[in-house]
Each structure stands twice: as structure tokens, then as C-alpha cells.
Amino acid sequence: MPKILKTKDYNMFHLIDWNRDVIPSHVAALMKSMHTVGNLTNLMPIVVGPKTKKYANKEHPNGKHVILDGQFRFVSLKFNSDWIYYVVDSKNQIRPEDVAQVQVSKKWSYDDYMNYYCALGYKEYAIYAGFKKRSKWSHNCVQILLAGNTKGATVAFKEGTFVMLRSIAECNAIIEMINEFSRVFKYYKQRSFICALLKIIENVEEYDHDRMMQKMDYLSERLVRCPDTESYIRLLEKLYNFKSTGKYVRFI
């Protein structure tokens, strides 16, 4: 059982650059809680690495422990000028890729996971971050774009095993097409709308995007918010075929 140590020498510790960003609102909430119930971190000490261990191929600052779990508690205690209770992972049991699973006091956001794996050098996540920035879509929509609409993709994203199933060129082309709707439809980043267009683009061989956008030039007021993906597909089918001659193109 690791020994619980305590100190007020805050300079002994270092926040790792690939860990989550410290969120001021969460720190403030912890400080308020500590003022109410006191410092209980002797029961939940922060976990730190030994001073000589390397993480993500970067040397620790000389003579400092990196904080593996409890960085929000550490910052809160530091602001309160309170004791830091900590244990040292002297056997190096916690690897960088384990930190997301170890930290459970505050749920990780998708941004946390993305930034975390990017900082660890996971190529797939660096590409993902680029698509996220370019598209300005939600994480759910970017995951659907890159890996399909599956629960497995979300689980894999959190576990560091996320894999793109579409090519970069294909994803860029899809983002460009869907983002074209930004000029005519304010809900173009809604998940069900994006899913509808993805299904149309993937499954309807006759779909002509230029034709769709030409229809949007004078039918955009008929493109209204729908409750689900199927409703969007049916509406887009009607607009796409409005007053068109020749074969009626079905989307479903």
C-alpha cells in the first residue's frame, strides 16, 4: 500500500501538458466544497509519478512529480494554501494511456479525449482534430463522418483505438458539400441532418449535389427543421425532385 505523504511545497508538482486543461469553474466548485466540508484529500490523495520517469517521450522537469490523477484537487488546494496529500506511483503502474480511465472524479469530455490522445502522438486523433476544426461540427457528427454511426466508434474514441473508415479526400469532399447548406439552412450542423445527407451521398448513386444546391437557391424556405434523420431524407428527396423532368430519384 503506497504511503500517503503531505506537503505545502507546491513547486514539487507539475501539471502534464497531455492531461486535461484545468477548468476554472470546476476548480471554483472544489474550493467552495473544501470551504464547506474541509480538506478531505487525505482520504482521496492525488496520484503522482516518480520524479525520474518519462511520459510521452518528454523528460519531467527536474525534481518534480507529475500529477497523474487529481490535478483539479491540486490547483484547488494550492489556491487555498492547504496541505497536499499525495501518493507516488513508484512502480510506474499508471501509463499515459491509462490516465483517462483512472480519472473519474470529473467526467472527461470529447475535447479532453481528443487533446489527450493528440498530445500522446496518436496520428488518427491529430487527423480527427483537423476535421473537427475545419467542419466546426459536434464530436458526434465528426465521429459519424469518419467512422460511421456506431456506438463502437464512441467507445473506441474514448479508449484511444478510434480508426477512420473513410479516406481523408472523401471526408473533405463530404464536409464541403454539407457545409454548403450553411448559406440556406441554419440547422445544417444538426446531427440528424448530417446523418441524412451522409446516407444520401453514400447510398444514392444518382445524387447530384450541384442539382441539390440549385434547388436550394429557390426552395430553401421549404427546408425546415425535422425531428429525425428519416424525415430529413424524405424532405430532401421532395426538394431534390421538385418540378424535375425525367426519372424521379428516390433517397429511401
Side-chain angles (χ1 to χ4, degrees), residues 12 14 48-66 88-92:
M12 287 175 53
H14 177 69
V48 301
K51 295 179 181 178
T52 56
K53 187 179 177 184
K54 293 182 180 180
Y55 286 89
N57 298 319
K58 292 183 180 179
E59 190 73 44
H60 286 184
N62 290 332
K64 293 193 177 186
H65 294 288
V66 294
V88 180
D89 178 25
S90 58
K91 295 183 179 180
N92 299 328

PDB file of all heavy atoms in Angstrom, residues 12 14 48-66 88-92:
ATOM      1  N   MET A  12       6.805  21.215  -5.902  1.00  0.00           N
ATOM      2  CA  MET A  12       7.227  19.834  -6.092  1.00  0.00           C
ATOM      3  C   MET A  12       6.484  19.148  -7.229  1.00  0.00           C
ATOM      4  O   MET A  12       6.885  18.085  -7.694  1.00  0.00           O
ATOM      5  CB  MET A  12       6.975  19.013  -4.809  1.00  0.00           C
ATOM      6  CG  MET A  12       7.908  19.305  -3.660  1.00  0.00           C
ATOM      7  SD  MET A  12       7.398  18.375  -2.173  1.00  0.00           S
ATOM      8  CE  MET A  12       7.308  16.695  -2.798  1.00  0.00           C
ATOM      9  N   HIS A  14       4.053  19.058 -10.956  1.00  0.00           N
ATOM     10  CA  HIS A  14       3.987  19.600 -12.313  1.00  0.00           C
ATOM     11  C   HIS A  14       2.743  19.061 -13.008  1.00  0.00           C
ATOM     12  O   HIS A  14       2.436  17.871 -12.935  1.00  0.00           O
ATOM     13  CB  HIS A  14       5.239  19.192 -13.091  1.00  0.00           C
ATOM     14  CG  HIS A  14       5.240  19.629 -14.528  1.00  0.00           C
ATOM     15  ND1 HIS A  14       5.339  20.955 -14.897  1.00  0.00           N
ATOM     16  CD2 HIS A  14       5.154  18.921 -15.691  1.00  0.00           C
ATOM     17  CE1 HIS A  14       5.318  21.042 -16.213  1.00  0.00           C
ATOM     18  NE2 HIS A  14       5.199  19.824 -16.716  1.00  0.00           N
ATOM     19  N   VAL A  48       0.761  10.835  -8.103  1.00  0.00           N
ATOM     20  CA  VAL A  48       1.830  11.467  -8.875  1.00  0.00           C
ATOM     21  C   VAL A  48       2.825  10.414  -9.338  1.00  0.00           C
ATOM     22  O   VAL A  48       2.922   9.322  -8.779  1.00  0.00           O
ATOM     23  CB  VAL A  48       2.562  12.547  -8.052  1.00  0.00           C
ATOM     24  CG1 VAL A  48       1.590  13.618  -7.587  1.00  0.00           C
ATOM     25  CG2 VAL A  48       3.277  11.933  -6.855  1.00  0.00           C
ATOM     26  N   GLY A  49       3.558  10.757 -10.367  1.00  0.00           N
ATOM     27  CA  GLY A  49       4.599   9.872 -10.864  1.00  0.00           C
ATOM     28  C   GLY A  49       5.907  10.125 -10.151  1.00  0.00           C
ATOM     29  O   GLY A  49       6.116  11.192  -9.546  1.00  0.00           O
ATOM     30  N   PRO A  50       6.821   9.168 -10.195  1.00  0.00           N
ATOM     31  CA  PRO A  50       8.150   9.386  -9.601  1.00  0.00           C
ATOM     32  C   PRO A  50       8.894  10.479 -10.354  1.00  0.00           C
ATOM     33  O   PRO A  50       8.610  10.747 -11.517  1.00  0.00           O
ATOM     34  CB  PRO A  50       8.831   8.024  -9.753  1.00  0.00           C
ATOM     35  CG  PRO A  50       8.112   7.360 -10.883  1.00  0.00           C
ATOM     36  CD  PRO A  50       6.692   7.837 -10.815  1.00  0.00           C
ATOM     37  N   LYS A  51       9.837  11.082  -9.707  1.00  0.00           N
ATOM     38  CA  LYS A  51      10.488  12.260 -10.276  1.00  0.00           C
ATOM     39  C   LYS A  51      11.320  11.975 -11.521  1.00  0.00           C
ATOM     40  O   LYS A  51      11.593  12.876 -12.296  1.00  0.00           O
ATOM     41  CB  LYS A  51      11.367  12.921  -9.219  1.00  0.00           C
ATOM     42  CG  LYS A  51      10.602  13.488  -8.037  1.00  0.00           C
ATOM     43  CD  LYS A  51      11.543  14.095  -7.016  1.00  0.00           C
ATOM     44  CE  LYS A  51      10.780  14.654  -5.818  1.00  0.00           C
ATOM     45  NZ  LYS A  51      11.680  15.210  -4.793  1.00  0.00           N
ATOM     46  N   THR A  52      11.700  10.728 -11.726  1.00  0.00           N
ATOM     47  CA  THR A  52      12.636  10.438 -12.818  1.00  0.00           C
ATOM     48  C   THR A  52      11.983   9.798 -14.031  1.00  0.00           C
ATOM     49  O   THR A  52      12.636   9.571 -15.030  1.00  0.00           O
ATOM     50  CB  THR A  52      13.737   9.483 -12.324  1.00  0.00           C
ATOM     51  OG1 THR A  52      13.125   8.296 -11.796  1.00  0.00           O
ATOM     52  CG2 THR A  52      14.562  10.153 -11.246  1.00  0.00           C
ATOM     53  N   LYS A  53      10.675   9.500 -13.961  1.00  0.00           N
ATOM     54  CA  LYS A  53      10.029   8.781 -15.056  1.00  0.00           C
ATOM     55  C   LYS A  53       9.727   9.708 -16.240  1.00  0.00           C
ATOM     56  O   LYS A  53       9.474  10.883 -16.084  1.00  0.00           O
ATOM     57  CB  LYS A  53       8.726   8.139 -14.573  1.00  0.00           C
ATOM     58  CG  LYS A  53       8.071   7.232 -15.610  1.00  0.00           C
ATOM     59  CD  LYS A  53       6.810   6.609 -15.056  1.00  0.00           C
ATOM     60  CE  LYS A  53       6.111   5.764 -16.107  1.00  0.00           C
ATOM     61  NZ  LYS A  53       4.832   5.220 -15.637  1.00  0.00           N
ATOM     62  N   LYS A  54       9.734   9.147 -17.437  1.00  0.00           N
ATOM     63  CA  LYS A  54       9.396   9.895 -18.659  1.00  0.00           C
ATOM     64  C   LYS A  54       7.975   9.578 -19.089  1.00  0.00           C
ATOM     65  O   LYS A  54       7.489   8.477 -18.923  1.00  0.00           O
ATOM     66  CB  LYS A  54      10.348   9.535 -19.796  1.00  0.00           C
ATOM     67  CG  LYS A  54      11.787   9.975 -19.580  1.00  0.00           C
ATOM     68  CD  LYS A  54      12.608   9.611 -20.791  1.00  0.00           C
ATOM     69  CE  LYS A  54      14.063  10.045 -20.609  1.00  0.00           C
ATOM     70  NZ  LYS A  54      14.885   9.697 -21.773  1.00  0.00           N
ATOM     71  N   TYR A  55       7.310  10.599 -19.664  1.00  0.00           N
ATOM     72  CA  TYR A  55       5.975  10.413 -20.230  1.00  0.00           C
ATOM     73  C   TYR A  55       5.964  11.037 -21.610  1.00  0.00           C
ATOM     74  O   TYR A  55       6.479  12.137 -21.803  1.00  0.00           O
ATOM     75  CB  TYR A  55       4.901  11.079 -19.363  1.00  0.00           C
ATOM     76  CG  TYR A  55       4.624  10.317 -18.094  1.00  0.00           C
ATOM     77  CD1 TYR A  55       5.340  10.573 -16.939  1.00  0.00           C
ATOM     78  CD2 TYR A  55       3.651   9.323 -18.064  1.00  0.00           C
ATOM     79  CE1 TYR A  55       5.088   9.871 -15.770  1.00  0.00           C
ATOM     80  CE2 TYR A  55       3.393   8.618 -16.899  1.00  0.00           C
ATOM     81  CZ  TYR A  55       4.109   8.893 -15.761  1.00  0.00           C
ATOM     82  OH  TYR A  55       3.861   8.190 -14.609  1.00  0.00           O
ATOM     83  N   ALA A  56       5.384  10.340 -22.544  1.00  0.00           N
ATOM     84  CA  ALA A  56       5.230  10.849 -23.912  1.00  0.00           C
ATOM     85  C   ALA A  56       6.562  11.335 -24.483  1.00  0.00           C
ATOM     86  O   ALA A  56       6.618  12.316 -25.192  1.00  0.00           O
ATOM     87  CB  ALA A  56       4.202  11.974 -23.948  1.00  0.00           C
ATOM     88  N   ASN A  57       7.642  10.619 -24.134  1.00  0.00           N
ATOM     89  CA  ASN A  57       8.980  10.932 -24.638  1.00  0.00           C
ATOM     90  C   ASN A  57       9.480  12.317 -24.224  1.00  0.00           C
ATOM     91  O   ASN A  57      10.300  12.914 -24.880  1.00  0.00           O
ATOM     92  CB  ASN A  57       9.022  10.804 -26.164  1.00  0.00           C
ATOM     93  CG  ASN A  57       8.720   9.388 -26.603  1.00  0.00           C
ATOM     94  OD1 ASN A  57       9.194   8.434 -25.984  1.00  0.00           O
ATOM     95  ND2 ASN A  57       7.940   9.241 -27.657  1.00  0.00           N
ATOM     96  N   LYS A  58       8.931  12.821 -23.129  1.00  0.00           N
ATOM     97  CA  LYS A  58       9.380  14.121 -22.626  1.00  0.00           C
ATOM     98  C   LYS A  58       9.864  13.941 -21.186  1.00  0.00           C
ATOM     99  O   LYS A  58       9.188  13.327 -20.364  1.00  0.00           O
ATOM    100  CB  LYS A  58       8.250  15.146 -22.665  1.00  0.00           C
ATOM    101  CG  LYS A  58       7.843  15.536 -24.082  1.00  0.00           C
ATOM    102  CD  LYS A  58       6.763  16.601 -24.056  1.00  0.00           C
ATOM    103  CE  LYS A  58       6.361  16.999 -25.454  1.00  0.00           C
ATOM    104  NZ  LYS A  58       5.292  18.024 -25.451  1.00  0.00           N
ATOM    105  N   GLU A  59      11.028  14.490 -20.909  1.00  0.00           N
ATOM    106  CA  GLU A  59      11.577  14.369 -19.555  1.00  0.00           C
ATOM    107  C   GLU A  59      10.788  15.252 -18.603  1.00  0.00           C
ATOM    108  O   GLU A  59      10.419  16.365 -18.927  1.00  0.00           O
ATOM    109  CB  GLU A  59      13.040  14.813 -19.563  1.00  0.00           C
ATOM    110  CG  GLU A  59      13.778  14.497 -18.261  1.00  0.00           C
ATOM    111  CD  GLU A  59      14.054  13.005 -18.135  1.00  0.00           C
ATOM    112  OE1 GLU A  59      14.472  12.375 -19.116  1.00  0.00           O
ATOM    113  OE2 GLU A  59      13.817  12.487 -17.037  1.00  0.00           O
ATOM    114  N   HIS A  60      10.513  14.729 -17.426  1.00  0.00           N
ATOM    115  CA  HIS A  60       9.876  15.560 -16.404  1.00  0.00           C
ATOM    116  C   HIS A  60      10.802  16.698 -16.025  1.00  0.00           C
ATOM    117  O   HIS A  60      12.022  16.570 -16.095  1.00  0.00           O
ATOM    118  CB  HIS A  60       9.636  14.733 -15.129  1.00  0.00           C
ATOM    119  CG  HIS A  60       8.516  13.760 -15.279  1.00  0.00           C
ATOM    120  ND1 HIS A  60       8.074  12.974 -14.259  1.00  0.00           N
ATOM    121  CD2 HIS A  60       7.748  13.461 -16.340  1.00  0.00           C
ATOM    122  CE1 HIS A  60       7.082  12.218 -14.683  1.00  0.00           C
ATOM    123  NE2 HIS A  60       6.875  12.504 -15.943  1.00  0.00           N
ATOM    124  N   PRO A  61      10.223  17.814 -15.598  1.00  0.00           N
ATOM    125  CA  PRO A  61      11.078  18.860 -15.028  1.00  0.00           C
ATOM    126  C   PRO A  61      11.871  18.287 -13.858  1.00  0.00           C
ATOM    127  O   PRO A  61      11.336  17.508 -13.072  1.00  0.00           O
ATOM    128  CB  PRO A  61      10.072  19.916 -14.555  1.00  0.00           C
ATOM    129  CG  PRO A  61       8.873  19.685 -15.421  1.00  0.00           C
ATOM    130  CD  PRO A  61       8.821  18.203 -15.648  1.00  0.00           C
ATOM    131  N   ASN A  62      13.120  18.612 -13.780  1.00  0.00           N
ATOM    132  CA  ASN A  62      13.984  18.055 -12.749  1.00  0.00           C
ATOM    133  C   ASN A  62      13.417  18.255 -11.355  1.00  0.00           C
ATOM    134  O   ASN A  62      12.993  19.348 -10.982  1.00  0.00           O
ATOM    135  CB  ASN A  62      15.382  18.689 -12.818  1.00  0.00           C
ATOM    136  CG  ASN A  62      16.146  18.243 -14.051  1.00  0.00           C
ATOM    137  OD1 ASN A  62      15.912  17.151 -14.557  1.00  0.00           O
ATOM    138  ND2 ASN A  62      17.039  19.079 -14.539  1.00  0.00           N
ATOM    139  N   GLY A  63      13.390  17.165 -10.570  1.00  0.00           N
ATOM    140  CA  GLY A  63      12.996  17.245  -9.169  1.00  0.00           C
ATOM    141  C   GLY A  63      11.523  17.451  -8.927  1.00  0.00           C
ATOM    142  O   GLY A  63      11.130  17.861  -7.834  1.00  0.00           O
ATOM    143  N   LYS A  64      10.658  17.179  -9.938  1.00  0.00           N
ATOM    144  CA  LYS A  64       9.222  17.392  -9.749  1.00  0.00           C
ATOM    145  C   LYS A  64       8.437  16.115 -10.035  1.00  0.00           C
ATOM    146  O   LYS A  64       8.837  15.279 -10.842  1.00  0.00           O
ATOM    147  CB  LYS A  64       8.711  18.521 -10.651  1.00  0.00           C
ATOM    148  CG  LYS A  64       9.269  19.889 -10.267  1.00  0.00           C
ATOM    149  CD  LYS A  64       8.507  21.004 -10.958  1.00  0.00           C
ATOM    150  CE  LYS A  64       9.035  22.372 -10.508  1.00  0.00           C
ATOM    151  NZ  LYS A  64       8.221  23.481 -11.037  1.00  0.00           N
ATOM    152  N   HIS A  65       7.306  15.979  -9.325  1.00  0.00           N
ATOM    153  CA  HIS A  65       6.371  14.891  -9.576  1.00  0.00           C
ATOM    154  C   HIS A  65       5.320  15.388 -10.567  1.00  0.00           C
ATOM    155  O   HIS A  65       4.746  16.456 -10.372  1.00  0.00           O
ATOM    156  CB  HIS A  65       5.646  14.489  -8.288  1.00  0.00           C
ATOM    157  CG  HIS A  65       6.518  13.883  -7.242  1.00  0.00           C
ATOM    158  ND1 HIS A  65       7.058  12.632  -7.341  1.00  0.00           N
ATOM    159  CD2 HIS A  65       6.944  14.371  -6.040  1.00  0.00           C
ATOM    160  CE1 HIS A  65       7.765  12.345  -6.267  1.00  0.00           C
ATOM    161  NE2 HIS A  65       7.726  13.394  -5.468  1.00  0.00           N
ATOM    162  N   VAL A  66       5.037  14.593 -11.607  1.00  0.00           N
ATOM    163  CA  VAL A  66       3.923  14.954 -12.468  1.00  0.00           C
ATOM    164  C   VAL A  66       2.644  14.396 -11.863  1.00  0.00           C
ATOM    165  O   VAL A  66       2.633  13.309 -11.286  1.00  0.00           O
ATOM    166  CB  VAL A  66       4.094  14.417 -13.910  1.00  0.00           C
ATOM    167  CG1 VAL A  66       5.255  15.075 -14.601  1.00  0.00           C
ATOM    168  CG2 VAL A  66       4.217  12.917 -13.921  1.00  0.00           C
ATOM    169  N   VAL A  88       2.818   8.351  -4.365  1.00  0.00           N
ATOM    170  CA  VAL A  88       3.702   8.259  -5.517  1.00  0.00           C
ATOM    171  C   VAL A  88       3.549   6.896  -6.186  1.00  0.00           C
ATOM    172  O   VAL A  88       3.631   5.852  -5.509  1.00  0.00           O
ATOM    173  CB  VAL A  88       5.173   8.467  -5.106  1.00  0.00           C
ATOM    174  CG1 VAL A  88       6.092   8.373  -6.328  1.00  0.00           C
ATOM    175  CG2 VAL A  88       5.351   9.813  -4.416  1.00  0.00           C
ATOM    176  N   ASP A  89       3.297   6.916  -7.474  1.00  0.00           N
ATOM    177  CA  ASP A  89       3.234   5.684  -8.250  1.00  0.00           C
ATOM    178  C   ASP A  89       4.667   5.230  -8.540  1.00  0.00           C
ATOM    179  O   ASP A  89       5.158   5.305  -9.662  1.00  0.00           O
ATOM    180  CB  ASP A  89       2.462   5.932  -9.555  1.00  0.00           C
ATOM    181  CG  ASP A  89       2.397   4.694 -10.447  1.00  0.00           C
ATOM    182  OD1 ASP A  89       2.506   3.579  -9.913  1.00  0.00           O
ATOM    183  OD2 ASP A  89       2.235   4.868 -11.667  1.00  0.00           O
ATOM    184  N   SER A  90       5.333   4.755  -7.515  1.00  0.00           N
ATOM    185  CA  SER A  90       6.761   4.449  -7.606  1.00  0.00           C
ATOM    186  C   SER A  90       7.060   3.259  -8.517  1.00  0.00           C
ATOM    187  O   SER A  90       8.176   3.113  -9.019  1.00  0.00           O
ATOM    188  CB  SER A  90       7.328   4.174  -6.213  1.00  0.00           C
ATOM    189  OG  SER A  90       6.629   3.106  -5.588  1.00  0.00           O
ATOM    190  N   LYS A  91       6.066   2.401  -8.750  1.00  0.00           N
ATOM    191  CA  LYS A  91       6.268   1.233  -9.610  1.00  0.00           C
ATOM    192  C   LYS A  91       5.828   1.489 -11.053  1.00  0.00           C
ATOM    193  O   LYS A  91       5.778   0.566 -11.868  1.00  0.00           O
ATOM    194  CB  LYS A  91       5.517   0.030  -9.039  1.00  0.00           C
ATOM    195  CG  LYS A  91       6.046  -0.426  -7.682  1.00  0.00           C
ATOM    196  CD  LYS A  91       5.311  -1.671  -7.200  1.00  0.00           C
ATOM    197  CE  LYS A  91       5.861  -2.140  -5.852  1.00  0.00           C
ATOM    198  NZ  LYS A  91       5.159  -3.360  -5.368  1.00  0.00           N
ATOM    199  N   ASN A  92       5.500   2.737 -11.332  1.00  0.00           N
ATOM    200  CA  ASN A  92       5.102   3.127 -12.700  1.00  0.00           C
ATOM    201  C   ASN A  92       3.946   2.266 -13.224  1.00  0.00           C
ATOM    202  O   ASN A  92       3.947   1.802 -14.371  1.00  0.00           O
ATOM    203  CB  ASN A  92       6.292   3.025 -13.657  1.00  0.00           C
ATOM    204  CG  ASN A  92       7.425   3.945 -13.270  1.00  0.00           C
ATOM    205  OD1 ASN A  92       7.193   5.015 -12.719  1.00  0.00           O
ATOM    206  ND2 ASN A  92       8.647   3.527 -13.545  1.00  0.00           N
TER     207      ASN A  92
END
